[in-house]
Amino acid sequence: MDAIAACFIGGTAVTGGIGTIPGAMVGALIMGVLNQGLSIMGVDAAWVKTIKGLVVIAAVAYDLLSKKKKG
């Protein structure tokens, strides 16, 4: 889930699969910081998965909305 989330956060398109390596690396960095921060804060594992899922949903929604405005 973390790898897929990192790609979507990094800008990989849901509909076409277009993305860049630096974008995926930035997405991985964001997911790593999110994981480490939630771990340091002592957040329960169920909440960590929920937060990660919400981040993925937000990234996909942003991608779809931005594509809709362009085309």
Side-chain angles (χ1 to χ4, degrees), residues 6-25 63 67:
C7 290
F8 285 145
I9 292 170
T12 301
V14 178
T15 56
I18 301 167
T20 62
I21 293 172
M25 291 174 66
D63 178 54
K67 300 286 183 203

Side-chain angles (χ1 to χ4, degrees), residues 28-65:
L29 180 66
I30 291 171
M31 285 303 293
V33 169
L34 183 67
N35 281 334
Q36 191 66 25
L38 292 173
S39 175
I40 289 172
M41 290 172 45
V43 178
D44 187 47
W47 280 107
V48 170
K49 287 184 181 182
T50 303
I51 292 169
K52 286 183 191 179
L54 291 173
V55 169
V56 171
I57 289 171
V60 170
Y62 176 77
D63 178 54
L64 291 176
L65 290 174

